[in-house]
Amino acid sequence: MDTCRYLLVGDSAVTVEFSREILPETSQKIRALKEQIASARISGVLETVPAYCSLLVHYDPTVIQYGQLVEQLKKLQTGIVGKAFPPSVVMELPVCYDERFGPDLEYVARYHGITREEVISLHSSQDYLVYMLGFIAGFPYLGGMDERLATPRLETPRLCIEGGSVGIAGKQTGIYPVSSPGGWRLIGRTPLKLYDPTQEKIALLDAGCYIHFRPVELEEYRAIQRQVEENRYTCKTWLKEV
Amino acid sequence: MGILIQTPGVLTTVQDLGRMGHQACGVSPSGAMDQKSTRLANILVGNRENEGVLEVTLGGTSIVFRRSNVIAICGAPAPAVLDRQPVPFYKALSVQAGQTLSFQYAPQGMRTYIAFAGGLDIPLVMGSRSTHLKSGIGGFHGRKLQQGDYIGFRSPRAYLPHQELRRVEEEHFPRSGETVSIRLLLGPQEDAFTKLGQGTLFESLYEISQNSDRMGYRLIGQPIESKNGSDIITDGIALGSVQIPPSGLPIIMMADRQTTGGYAKIATVITQDISLLAQCPPGVKLRFVQCDVETAQALRIAGRRNIEALIRRFQHMTGSSYWVQVNGKTYFVTLEAGT
């Protein structure tokens, strides 16, 4: 039996909690409910925010009240039980693992007693699930890194890390969407913009999609960077095989 | 032509009712801390409720008008003069090019809002004019206003029809040291805390710390006991969420909040009390009172009806409306043609 909990978040939001464990299946259910809510166009629902195990639904209580909303959400939620989830999208992110972008690649390799090439190969052979975006605009919380790459953070964080930098922090890998301070071990950089407030779709990624890192040489990195600047680059995507 | 910032004060920013619809991408809503005062100021000058206003924190700001317009000031009563003349709050008034509007320090409340008829010439970023300081987005180049900043008017008015009738009752705001009641709904993670911990929240007083800002109000008082620490798997955050970090001391999430977080949230401030909370300066003591969702939503609906009634009043205003004083109380009266 598929049960979820409806948690009261003040008078203008409700959290639909699917589990208390971080699992790809939970992420699928959250994505499915988010899509159901969007297509049901429940009047009064303002926006929905996916997280690891739950979906936060913001609503206007002058239009729809708590009891009515939960009733509608329960109907939608029952509607997704037992149904096959639509396949997830995989997005290809070119990453240049050159020294100038990945100053800690050497450290990560030495830390695990492997070669730089092996680090790159381990890091770019996985599909990473985007569980949610948060912390700062466009920042993806990723799951699925090979445990052989787990590396502790820097003892002293860097003051400025360029947007697009790809790094490792403990058991996670991630990408800095904009320049910011941070303590991740940097291994490369993508020329793509994960966050662009001037675009209609401000974040490149969505919760529930996967990303795949494709290693590129410096020359290709520069070429893609130019295309991105000129708004000519289209991210390569395909459907995830189940 | 519009306004020139002569003295920015501690913190003056451009805000509207917030940048909604992008929280799934991690974009903070930001927006005016006291949305009620923002709405009132805009309605008084005939703007949409969501028009961009100046949010002046604790007074101390002065601005020079480079063009005439109609303005209204609501919120914290920081004594204000236009050149040398004291300026009334909660009322539409005409200002002339060349005049200077100066605020002193606000003895009560925390934030003063200035609305300009026709709005400020500030570009929309993701549909909003609000400034989010931490990410440097929106408002005036994503930052707080500085001396010499210039903001144009979009469509200024010299005078509004029946302008003298465009006024509303003044509001009163708390001062440092006073005790204020704020209503909470338990949840979403009240079960992460012991009965004792939940009791502490409602039975003790919490003082607003100096370390409070537009992102969060940090509180000083009795730590709240959790069952097994207050870390949770990161989830979504709403306006007014009362987060409990490992110290046990609550942080209330305000306008510039992050969209998700990993601390358990024991309760949430009801929407109707957010504007009052936003007007509480550091040193105010909060007494939390438990509320239920039906009451909170009924209060919110009643608040909305009042705002809508006000909008209608100004839309239908004719020459036969008056302010009448009876036994010391002020009433707004409209004479209608009868048979």
Side-chain angles (χ1 to χ4, degrees), chain A residues 5 8 10-12 20 47-48 51-52 56 58-59 61 65-66 132-133 135 137-138 195 197 202, chain B residues 21-27 126 137 185 187-188 191 233-237 260 268 270-271 297 300-301:
Chain A
R5 300 201 304 155
L8 192 66
D11 54 38
S12 305
R20 293 186 144 187
E47 56 186 308
T48 56
Y52 280 117
L56 179 60
H58 292 278
Y59 65 98
Q65 282 87 52
Y66 180 70
M132 56 189 283
L133 303 176
F135 171 54
Y195 165 69
I202 58 163
Chain B
H22 302 285
Q23 293 186 75
C25 301
V27 177
M126 292 178 245
I137 285 176
L185 298 181
D191 57 6
I233 296 172
T234 299
D235 76 349
I237 289 178
T260 58
T268 317
I270 71 166
T271 314
Q297 296 192 332
R300 170 89 187 264
I301 291 165

mmCIF file of all heavy atoms in Angstrom, chain A residues 5 8 10-12 20 47-48 51-52 56 58-59 61 65-66 132-133 135 137-138 195 197 202, chain B residues 21-27 126 137 185 187-188 191 233-237 260 268 270-271 297 300-301:
data_model
loop_
_atom_site.group_PDB
_atom_site.id
_atom_site.type_symbol
_atom_site.label_atom_id
_atom_site.label_comp_id
_atom_site.label_asym_id
_atom_site.label_seq_id
_atom_site.Cartn_x
_atom_site.Cartn_y
_atom_site.Cartn_z
ATOM 1 N N ARG A 5 2.197 11.074 3.737
ATOM 2 C CA ARG A 5 1.698 11.916 4.820
ATOM 3 C C ARG A 5 1.507 13.348 4.304
ATOM 4 O O ARG A 5 2.301 13.847 3.511
ATOM 5 C CB ARG A 5 2.692 11.932 5.982
ATOM 6 C CG ARG A 5 2.941 10.543 6.579
ATOM 7 C CD ARG A 5 3.482 10.652 7.994
ATOM 8 N NE ARG A 5 4.699 11.457 8.073
ATOM 9 C CZ ARG A 5 5.083 12.101 9.180
ATOM 10 N NH1 ARG A 5 4.344 12.059 10.275
ATOM 11 N NH2 ARG A 5 6.209 12.794 9.189
ATOM 12 N N LEU A 8 1.067 19.809 7.627
ATOM 13 C CA LEU A 8 0.608 21.198 7.631
ATOM 14 C C LEU A 8 1.821 22.131 7.678
ATOM 15 O O LEU A 8 2.644 22.042 8.587
ATOM 16 C CB LEU A 8 -0.262 21.398 8.877
ATOM 17 C CG LEU A 8 -1.093 22.666 8.981
ATOM 18 C CD1 LEU A 8 -2.166 22.684 7.907
ATOM 19 C CD2 LEU A 8 -1.722 22.753 10.357
ATOM 20 N N GLY A 10 1.883 25.748 7.864
ATOM 21 C CA GLY A 10 1.195 27.020 7.988
ATOM 22 C C GLY A 10 -0.138 26.989 7.264
ATOM 23 O O GLY A 10 -0.664 25.916 6.941
ATOM 24 N N ASP A 11 -0.681 28.195 6.976
ATOM 25 C CA ASP A 11 -2.010 28.259 6.373
ATOM 26 C C ASP A 11 -1.966 28.378 4.857
ATOM 27 O O ASP A 11 -2.994 28.502 4.209
ATOM 28 C CB ASP A 11 -2.815 29.424 6.981
ATOM 29 C CG ASP A 11 -2.078 30.744 6.881
ATOM 30 O OD1 ASP A 11 -1.412 30.991 5.857
ATOM 31 O OD2 ASP A 11 -2.151 31.541 7.844
ATOM 32 N N SER A 12 -0.737 28.346 4.267
ATOM 33 C CA SER A 12 -0.641 28.570 2.820
ATOM 34 C C SER A 12 0.221 27.549 2.104
ATOM 35 O O SER A 12 0.604 27.770 0.963
ATOM 36 C CB SER A 12 -0.076 29.967 2.551
ATOM 37 O OG SER A 12 -0.847 30.941 3.216
ATOM 38 N N ARG A 20 10.702 8.465 4.103
ATOM 39 C CA ARG A 20 11.702 9.124 4.926
ATOM 40 C C ARG A 20 13.086 8.608 4.574
ATOM 41 O O ARG A 20 13.985 8.563 5.400
ATOM 42 C CB ARG A 20 11.358 8.923 6.402
ATOM 43 C CG ARG A 20 10.079 9.651 6.756
ATOM 44 C CD ARG A 20 9.778 9.596 8.213
ATOM 45 N NE ARG A 20 9.175 10.861 8.620
ATOM 46 C CZ ARG A 20 8.917 11.178 9.869
ATOM 47 N NH1 ARG A 20 9.232 10.361 10.840
ATOM 48 N NH2 ARG A 20 8.362 12.341 10.162
ATOM 49 N N GLU A 47 2.458 27.176 -6.580
ATOM 50 C CA GLU A 47 3.651 26.520 -7.109
ATOM 51 C C GLU A 47 3.994 25.322 -6.243
ATOM 52 O O GLU A 47 3.552 25.235 -5.095
ATOM 53 C CB GLU A 47 4.846 27.478 -7.221
ATOM 54 C CG GLU A 47 5.250 28.176 -5.946
ATOM 55 C CD GLU A 47 6.360 29.214 -6.174
ATOM 56 O OE1 GLU A 47 7.388 28.872 -6.768
ATOM 57 O OE2 GLU A 47 6.184 30.356 -5.730
ATOM 58 N N THR A 48 4.794 24.398 -6.812
ATOM 59 C CA THR A 48 5.165 23.200 -6.069
ATOM 60 C C THR A 48 6.688 23.081 -6.062
ATOM 61 O O THR A 48 7.342 23.426 -7.042
ATOM 62 C CB THR A 48 4.554 21.944 -6.708
ATOM 63 O OG1 THR A 48 4.958 21.879 -8.071
ATOM 64 C CG2 THR A 48 3.031 21.959 -6.646
ATOM 65 N N ALA A 51 11.439 18.119 -3.153
ATOM 66 C CA ALA A 51 12.630 17.897 -2.339
ATOM 67 C C ALA A 51 12.951 16.406 -2.411
ATOM 68 O O ALA A 51 12.350 15.680 -3.194
ATOM 69 C CB ALA A 51 12.385 18.371 -0.922
ATOM 70 N N TYR A 52 13.918 15.946 -1.598
ATOM 71 C CA TYR A 52 14.321 14.533 -1.662
ATOM 72 C C TYR A 52 13.143 13.573 -1.489
ATOM 73 O O TYR A 52 12.989 12.614 -2.223
ATOM 74 C CB TYR A 52 15.334 14.241 -0.559
ATOM 75 C CG TYR A 52 16.739 14.665 -0.871
ATOM 76 C CD1 TYR A 52 17.380 15.632 -0.106
ATOM 77 C CD2 TYR A 52 17.438 14.077 -1.914
ATOM 78 C CE1 TYR A 52 18.684 16.005 -0.368
ATOM 79 C CE2 TYR A 52 18.749 14.453 -2.195
ATOM 80 C CZ TYR A 52 19.367 15.414 -1.409
ATOM 81 O OH TYR A 52 20.647 15.781 -1.679
ATOM 82 N N LEU A 56 6.444 20.167 -1.686
ATOM 83 C CA LEU A 56 5.793 21.252 -0.956
ATOM 84 C C LEU A 56 4.858 21.973 -1.922
ATOM 85 O O LEU A 56 5.286 22.394 -3.003
ATOM 86 C CB LEU A 56 6.841 22.226 -0.400
ATOM 87 C CG LEU A 56 6.343 23.443 0.364
ATOM 88 C CD1 LEU A 56 5.525 23.046 1.594
ATOM 89 C CD2 LEU A 56 7.512 24.328 0.807
ATOM 90 N N HIS A 58 2.534 25.158 -2.448
ATOM 91 C CA HIS A 58 2.152 26.495 -1.978
ATOM 92 C C HIS A 58 0.782 26.834 -2.564
ATOM 93 O O HIS A 58 0.567 26.640 -3.760
ATOM 94 C CB HIS A 58 3.158 27.549 -2.450
ATOM 95 C CG HIS A 58 4.514 27.435 -1.810
ATOM 96 N ND1 HIS A 58 4.796 27.953 -0.578
ATOM 97 C CD2 HIS A 58 5.658 26.857 -2.242
ATOM 98 C CE1 HIS A 58 6.063 27.707 -0.273
ATOM 99 N NE2 HIS A 58 6.612 27.040 -1.265
ATOM 100 N N TYR A 59 -0.128 27.357 -1.744
ATOM 101 C CA TYR A 59 -1.459 27.685 -2.273
ATOM 102 C C TYR A 59 -2.001 28.953 -1.629
ATOM 103 O O TYR A 59 -1.463 29.446 -0.640
ATOM 104 C CB TYR A 59 -2.417 26.509 -2.068
ATOM 105 C CG TYR A 59 -2.722 26.167 -0.622
ATOM 106 C CD1 TYR A 59 -3.886 26.626 0.005
ATOM 107 C CD2 TYR A 59 -1.855 25.389 0.130
ATOM 108 C CE1 TYR A 59 -4.168 26.304 1.326
ATOM 109 C CE2 TYR A 59 -2.128 25.065 1.458
ATOM 110 C CZ TYR A 59 -3.285 25.536 2.050
ATOM 111 O OH TYR A 59 -3.552 25.222 3.356
ATOM 112 N N PRO A 61 -4.958 30.403 0.359
ATOM 113 C CA PRO A 61 -6.102 29.938 1.148
ATOM 114 C C PRO A 61 -7.355 30.797 0.971
ATOM 115 O O PRO A 61 -8.417 30.418 1.448
ATOM 116 C CB PRO A 61 -5.584 29.994 2.586
ATOM 117 C CG PRO A 61 -4.492 31.000 2.568
ATOM 118 C CD PRO A 61 -3.887 30.947 1.199
ATOM 119 N N GLN A 65 -9.116 25.990 0.519
ATOM 120 C CA GLN A 65 -8.703 25.799 1.910
ATOM 121 C C GLN A 65 -8.063 24.420 2.103
ATOM 122 O O GLN A 65 -8.179 23.535 1.250
ATOM 123 C CB GLN A 65 -9.886 26.011 2.859
ATOM 124 C CG GLN A 65 -10.199 27.499 3.071
ATOM 125 C CD GLN A 65 -11.134 28.044 2.006
ATOM 126 O OE1 GLN A 65 -12.193 27.493 1.753
ATOM 127 N NE2 GLN A 65 -10.708 29.117 1.350
ATOM 128 N N TYR A 66 -7.424 24.281 3.245
ATOM 129 C CA TYR A 66 -6.602 23.112 3.522
ATOM 130 C C TYR A 66 -7.324 21.788 3.238
ATOM 131 O O TYR A 66 -6.829 20.947 2.500
ATOM 132 C CB TYR A 66 -6.113 23.169 4.977
ATOM 133 C CG TYR A 66 -5.250 22.003 5.373
ATOM 134 C CD1 TYR A 66 -3.965 21.871 4.850
ATOM 135 C CD2 TYR A 66 -5.706 21.035 6.259
ATOM 136 C CE1 TYR A 66 -3.159 20.800 5.198
ATOM 137 C CE2 TYR A 66 -4.898 19.955 6.609
ATOM 138 C CZ TYR A 66 -3.632 19.849 6.074
ATOM 139 O OH TYR A 66 -2.849 18.790 6.421
ATOM 140 N N MET A 132 16.631 17.378 -6.452
ATOM 141 C CA MET A 132 15.946 18.654 -6.217
ATOM 142 C C MET A 132 16.899 19.798 -6.557
ATOM 143 O O MET A 132 18.100 19.597 -6.726
ATOM 144 C CB MET A 132 15.517 18.760 -4.746
ATOM 145 C CG MET A 132 16.670 18.590 -3.767
ATOM 146 S SD MET A 132 16.121 18.469 -2.037
ATOM 147 C CE MET A 132 15.771 20.178 -1.698
ATOM 148 N N LEU A 133 16.324 21.003 -6.671
ATOM 149 C CA LEU A 133 17.132 22.207 -6.820
ATOM 150 C C LEU A 133 16.887 23.055 -5.577
ATOM 151 O O LEU A 133 15.770 23.119 -5.087
ATOM 152 C CB LEU A 133 16.737 23.004 -8.062
ATOM 153 C CG LEU A 133 16.804 22.287 -9.409
ATOM 154 C CD1 LEU A 133 16.289 23.209 -10.510
ATOM 155 C CD2 LEU A 133 18.219 21.854 -9.741
ATOM 156 N N PHE A 135 19.067 25.483 -2.168
ATOM 157 C CA PHE A 135 20.254 26.075 -1.544
ATOM 158 C C PHE A 135 20.542 27.434 -2.171
ATOM 159 O O PHE A 135 20.422 28.451 -1.527
ATOM 160 C CB PHE A 135 21.450 25.116 -1.622
ATOM 161 C CG PHE A 135 22.763 25.708 -1.213
ATOM 162 C CD1 PHE A 135 22.891 26.326 0.021
ATOM 163 C CD2 PHE A 135 23.865 25.669 -2.047
ATOM 164 C CE1 PHE A 135 24.101 26.897 0.397
ATOM 165 C CE2 PHE A 135 25.082 26.235 -1.671
ATOM 166 C CZ PHE A 135 25.191 26.846 -0.445
ATOM 167 N N ALA A 137 19.894 29.444 -6.288
ATOM 168 C CA ALA A 137 19.139 29.247 -7.527
ATOM 169 C C ALA A 137 19.907 28.337 -8.487
ATOM 170 O O ALA A 137 21.077 28.562 -8.775
ATOM 171 C CB ALA A 137 18.856 30.591 -8.175
ATOM 172 N N GLY A 138 19.231 27.297 -8.961
ATOM 173 C CA GLY A 138 19.782 26.419 -9.978
ATOM 174 C C GLY A 138 20.701 25.322 -9.460
ATOM 175 O O GLY A 138 21.190 24.522 -10.242
ATOM 176 N N TYR A 195 22.051 28.229 -14.433
ATOM 177 C CA TYR A 195 21.081 29.209 -13.973
ATOM 178 C C TYR A 195 21.269 30.464 -14.791
ATOM 179 O O TYR A 195 22.393 30.962 -14.914
ATOM 180 C CB TYR A 195 21.315 29.481 -12.484
ATOM 181 C CG TYR A 195 20.635 30.709 -11.952
ATOM 182 C CD1 TYR A 195 19.258 30.752 -11.832
ATOM 183 C CD2 TYR A 195 21.377 31.828 -11.572
ATOM 184 C CE1 TYR A 195 18.631 31.885 -11.345
ATOM 185 C CE2 TYR A 195 20.758 32.956 -11.075
ATOM 186 C CZ TYR A 195 19.388 32.982 -10.961
ATOM 187 O OH TYR A 195 18.769 34.099 -10.476
ATOM 188 N N PRO A 197 18.962 33.961 -15.193
ATOM 189 C CA PRO A 197 17.713 34.664 -14.913
ATOM 190 C C PRO A 197 17.141 35.402 -16.125
ATOM 191 O O PRO A 197 15.994 35.837 -16.089
ATOM 192 C CB PRO A 197 18.090 35.655 -13.797
ATOM 193 C CG PRO A 197 19.555 35.784 -13.855
ATOM 194 C CD PRO A 197 20.093 34.508 -14.435
ATOM 195 N N ILE A 202 14.686 29.423 -16.356
ATOM 196 C CA ILE A 202 15.854 29.987 -15.670
ATOM 197 C C ILE A 202 16.850 28.931 -15.207
ATOM 198 O O ILE A 202 18.024 29.213 -15.074
ATOM 199 C CB ILE A 202 15.432 30.875 -14.485
ATOM 200 C CG1 ILE A 202 14.590 30.066 -13.500
ATOM 201 C CG2 ILE A 202 14.698 32.109 -14.941
ATOM 202 C CD1 ILE A 202 14.498 30.736 -12.165
ATOM 203 N N GLY B 21 6.834 31.682 -8.100
ATOM 204 C CA GLY B 21 6.775 30.757 -9.225
ATOM 205 C C GLY B 21 8.094 30.113 -9.600
ATOM 206 O O GLY B 21 8.138 29.314 -10.523
ATOM 207 N N HIS B 22 9.187 30.456 -8.913
ATOM 208 C CA HIS B 22 10.487 29.883 -9.274
ATOM 209 C C HIS B 22 11.158 29.184 -8.103
ATOM 210 O O HIS B 22 12.362 28.967 -8.114
ATOM 211 C CB HIS B 22 11.400 30.976 -9.823
ATOM 212 C CG HIS B 22 10.832 31.679 -11.014
ATOM 213 N ND1 HIS B 22 10.794 31.105 -12.265
ATOM 214 C CD2 HIS B 22 10.225 32.880 -11.133
ATOM 215 C CE1 HIS B 22 10.213 31.939 -13.108
ATOM 216 N NE2 HIS B 22 9.849 33.019 -12.447
ATOM 217 N N GLN B 23 10.366 28.841 -7.078
ATOM 218 C CA GLN B 23 10.976 28.217 -5.903
ATOM 219 C C GLN B 23 11.490 26.812 -6.220
ATOM 220 O O GLN B 23 12.438 26.345 -5.601
ATOM 221 C CB GLN B 23 9.986 28.177 -4.740
ATOM 222 C CG GLN B 23 9.671 29.583 -4.229
ATOM 223 C CD GLN B 23 8.804 29.574 -2.990
ATOM 224 O OE1 GLN B 23 9.254 29.285 -1.897
ATOM 225 N NE2 GLN B 23 7.532 29.878 -3.151
ATOM 226 N N ALA B 24 10.861 26.140 -7.209
ATOM 227 C CA ALA B 24 11.333 24.803 -7.578
ATOM 228 C C ALA B 24 12.738 24.866 -8.169
ATOM 229 O O ALA B 24 13.449 23.873 -8.208
ATOM 230 C CB ALA B 24 10.370 24.150 -8.565
ATOM 231 N N CYS B 25 13.154 26.046 -8.647
ATOM 232 C CA CYS B 25 14.512 26.219 -9.172
ATOM 233 C C CYS B 25 15.444 26.778 -8.105
ATOM 234 O O CYS B 25 16.604 27.081 -8.390
ATOM 235 C CB CYS B 25 14.525 27.168 -10.367
ATOM 236 S SG CYS B 25 13.505 26.618 -11.711
ATOM 237 N N GLY B 26 14.930 26.997 -6.901
ATOM 238 C CA GLY B 26 15.769 27.507 -5.823
ATOM 239 C C GLY B 26 15.798 29.025 -5.726
ATOM 240 O O GLY B 26 16.657 29.576 -5.039
ATOM 241 N N VAL B 27 14.870 29.711 -6.421
ATOM 242 C CA VAL B 27 14.857 31.175 -6.382
ATOM 243 C C VAL B 27 14.018 31.663 -5.186
ATOM 244 O O VAL B 27 12.831 31.340 -5.086
ATOM 245 C CB VAL B 27 14.287 31.760 -7.692
ATOM 246 C CG1 VAL B 27 14.197 33.273 -7.623
ATOM 247 C CG2 VAL B 27 15.131 31.336 -8.869
ATOM 248 N N MET B 126 12.356 38.010 -13.638
ATOM 249 C CA MET B 126 11.489 36.862 -13.358
ATOM 250 C C MET B 126 10.140 37.350 -12.830
ATOM 251 O O MET B 126 9.619 36.838 -11.843
ATOM 252 C CB MET B 126 12.138 35.918 -12.355
ATOM 253 C CG MET B 126 13.361 35.207 -12.892
ATOM 254 S SD MET B 126 14.082 34.166 -11.618
ATOM 255 C CE MET B 126 15.649 34.956 -11.390
ATOM 256 N N ILE B 137 19.832 39.859 -7.053
ATOM 257 C CA ILE B 137 18.862 39.843 -8.154
ATOM 258 C C ILE B 137 17.770 40.881 -7.914
ATOM 259 O O ILE B 137 17.342 41.094 -6.780
ATOM 260 C CB ILE B 137 18.213 38.439 -8.245
ATOM 261 C CG1 ILE B 137 19.186 37.458 -8.861
ATOM 262 C CG2 ILE B 137 16.931 38.457 -9.072
ATOM 263 C CD1 ILE B 137 18.651 36.061 -8.877
ATOM 264 N N LEU B 185 0.931 27.712 13.670
ATOM 265 C CA LEU B 185 0.353 26.387 13.446
ATOM 266 C C LEU B 185 1.481 25.387 13.636
ATOM 267 O O LEU B 185 2.570 25.573 13.075
ATOM 268 C CB LEU B 185 -0.176 26.262 12.014
ATOM 269 C CG LEU B 185 -1.304 27.208 11.604
ATOM 270 C CD1 LEU B 185 -1.727 26.934 10.167
ATOM 271 C CD2 LEU B 185 -2.492 27.044 12.533
ATOM 272 N N GLY B 187 3.770 22.191 13.012
ATOM 273 C CA GLY B 187 4.101 21.472 11.790
ATOM 274 C C GLY B 187 4.990 22.293 10.878
ATOM 275 O O GLY B 187 5.153 23.489 11.088
ATOM 276 N N PRO B 188 5.625 21.657 9.889
ATOM 277 C CA PRO B 188 5.437 20.266 9.461
ATOM 278 C C PRO B 188 6.187 19.200 10.283
ATOM 279 O O PRO B 188 5.794 18.053 10.222
ATOM 280 C CB PRO B 188 5.969 20.279 8.034
ATOM 281 C CG PRO B 188 6.965 21.394 8.011
ATOM 282 C CD PRO B 188 6.460 22.423 8.961
ATOM 283 N N ASP B 191 6.796 16.544 15.171
ATOM 284 C CA ASP B 191 7.085 15.254 15.797
ATOM 285 C C ASP B 191 8.586 14.987 15.974
ATOM 286 O O ASP B 191 8.970 13.980 16.550
ATOM 287 C CB ASP B 191 6.394 14.097 15.049
ATOM 288 C CG ASP B 191 6.772 14.043 13.584
ATOM 289 O OD1 ASP B 191 7.652 14.826 13.155
ATOM 290 O OD2 ASP B 191 6.196 13.210 12.852
ATOM 291 N N ILE B 233 15.917 15.292 6.440
ATOM 292 C CA ILE B 233 16.277 15.258 5.022
ATOM 293 C C ILE B 233 15.737 16.565 4.430
ATOM 294 O O ILE B 233 14.563 16.885 4.621
ATOM 295 C CB ILE B 233 15.662 14.026 4.330
ATOM 296 C CG1 ILE B 233 16.255 12.748 4.946
ATOM 297 C CG2 ILE B 233 15.910 14.074 2.831
ATOM 298 C CD1 ILE B 233 15.589 11.473 4.483
ATOM 299 N N THR B 234 16.605 17.309 3.758
ATOM 300 C CA THR B 234 16.259 18.634 3.229
ATOM 301 C C THR B 234 14.891 18.640 2.544
ATOM 302 O O THR B 234 14.608 17.797 1.698
ATOM 303 C CB THR B 234 17.350 19.081 2.239
ATOM 304 O OG1 THR B 234 18.574 19.163 2.959
ATOM 305 C CG2 THR B 234 17.036 20.425 1.609
ATOM 306 N N ASP B 235 14.041 19.581 2.942
ATOM 307 C CA ASP B 235 12.747 19.728 2.270
ATOM 308 C C ASP B 235 12.389 21.203 2.083
ATOM 309 O O ASP B 235 13.182 22.085 2.423
ATOM 310 C CB ASP B 235 11.646 18.931 2.998
ATOM 311 C CG ASP B 235 11.168 19.580 4.275
ATOM 312 O OD1 ASP B 235 11.816 20.550 4.738
ATOM 313 O OD2 ASP B 235 10.147 19.132 4.826
ATOM 314 N N GLY B 236 11.206 21.471 1.531
ATOM 315 C CA GLY B 236 10.806 22.833 1.176
ATOM 316 C C GLY B 236 10.491 23.692 2.397
ATOM 317 O O GLY B 236 10.076 23.180 3.439
ATOM 318 N N ILE B 237 10.684 24.985 2.247
ATOM 319 C CA ILE B 237 10.461 25.943 3.339
ATOM 320 C C ILE B 237 9.395 26.943 2.908
ATOM 321 O O ILE B 237 9.392 27.399 1.763
ATOM 322 C CB ILE B 237 11.773 26.702 3.662
ATOM 323 C CG1 ILE B 237 12.764 25.757 4.354
ATOM 324 C CG2 ILE B 237 11.512 27.932 4.528
ATOM 325 C CD1 ILE B 237 14.090 26.398 4.668
ATOM 326 N N THR B 260 14.676 25.776 0.394
ATOM 327 C CA THR B 260 14.716 24.445 1.011
ATOM 328 C C THR B 260 15.703 24.482 2.168
ATOM 329 O O THR B 260 16.580 25.339 2.212
ATOM 330 C CB THR B 260 15.202 23.386 0.001
ATOM 331 O OG1 THR B 260 16.493 23.765 -0.475
ATOM 332 C CG2 THR B 260 14.253 23.243 -1.179
ATOM 333 N N THR B 268 4.759 27.049 12.040
ATOM 334 C CA THR B 268 4.750 28.081 10.994
ATOM 335 C C THR B 268 3.890 29.244 11.473
ATOM 336 O O THR B 268 2.789 29.026 11.987
ATOM 337 C CB THR B 268 4.158 27.511 9.680
ATOM 338 O OG1 THR B 268 4.694 26.203 9.448
ATOM 339 C CG2 THR B 268 4.467 28.401 8.497
ATOM 340 N N ILE B 270 1.256 32.132 11.228
ATOM 341 C CA ILE B 270 0.110 32.290 10.333
ATOM 342 C C ILE B 270 0.330 33.537 9.462
ATOM 343 O O ILE B 270 0.953 34.508 9.889
ATOM 344 C CB ILE B 270 -1.237 32.352 11.089
ATOM 345 C CG1 ILE B 270 -1.396 33.658 11.857
ATOM 346 C CG2 ILE B 270 -1.398 31.153 12.025
ATOM 347 C CD1 ILE B 270 -2.835 33.878 12.327
ATOM 348 N N THR B 271 -0.155 33.474 8.221
ATOM 349 C CA THR B 271 0.110 34.555 7.263
ATOM 350 C C THR B 271 -0.354 35.905 7.787
ATOM 351 O O THR B 271 0.296 36.923 7.589
ATOM 352 C CB THR B 271 -0.609 34.258 5.928
ATOM 353 O OG1 THR B 271 -0.354 32.912 5.599
ATOM 354 C CG2 THR B 271 -0.122 35.157 4.831
ATOM 355 N N GLN B 297 -6.909 30.399 8.290
ATOM 356 C CA GLN B 297 -7.362 30.668 6.930
ATOM 357 C C GLN B 297 -8.550 31.630 6.920
ATOM 358 O O GLN B 297 -8.660 32.473 6.023
ATOM 359 C CB GLN B 297 -7.676 29.346 6.211
ATOM 360 C CG GLN B 297 -6.398 28.512 6.073
ATOM 361 C CD GLN B 297 -6.505 27.333 5.149
ATOM 362 O OE1 GLN B 297 -7.574 26.767 4.970
ATOM 363 N NE2 GLN B 297 -5.385 26.949 4.552
ATOM 364 N N ARG B 300 -7.094 35.030 7.254
ATOM 365 C CA ARG B 300 -6.483 35.436 5.994
ATOM 366 C C ARG B 300 -7.554 35.904 5.006
ATOM 367 O O ARG B 300 -7.386 36.909 4.310
ATOM 368 C CB ARG B 300 -5.693 34.249 5.437
ATOM 369 C CG ARG B 300 -5.179 34.386 4.040
ATOM 370 C CD ARG B 300 -3.805 35.011 4.006
ATOM 371 N NE ARG B 300 -3.389 35.281 2.636
ATOM 372 C CZ ARG B 300 -2.622 34.478 1.908
ATOM 373 N NH1 ARG B 300 -2.147 33.383 2.437
ATOM 374 N NH2 ARG B 300 -2.307 34.786 0.668
ATOM 375 N N ILE B 301 -8.676 35.172 4.956
ATOM 376 C CA ILE B 301 -9.764 35.532 4.046
ATOM 377 C C ILE B 301 -10.362 36.884 4.460
ATOM 378 O O ILE B 301 -10.603 37.758 3.622
ATOM 379 C CB ILE B 301 -10.836 34.415 4.007
ATOM 380 C CG1 ILE B 301 -10.252 33.173 3.312
ATOM 381 C CG2 ILE B 301 -12.109 34.884 3.296
ATOM 382 C CD1 ILE B 301 -11.051 31.898 3.505
#
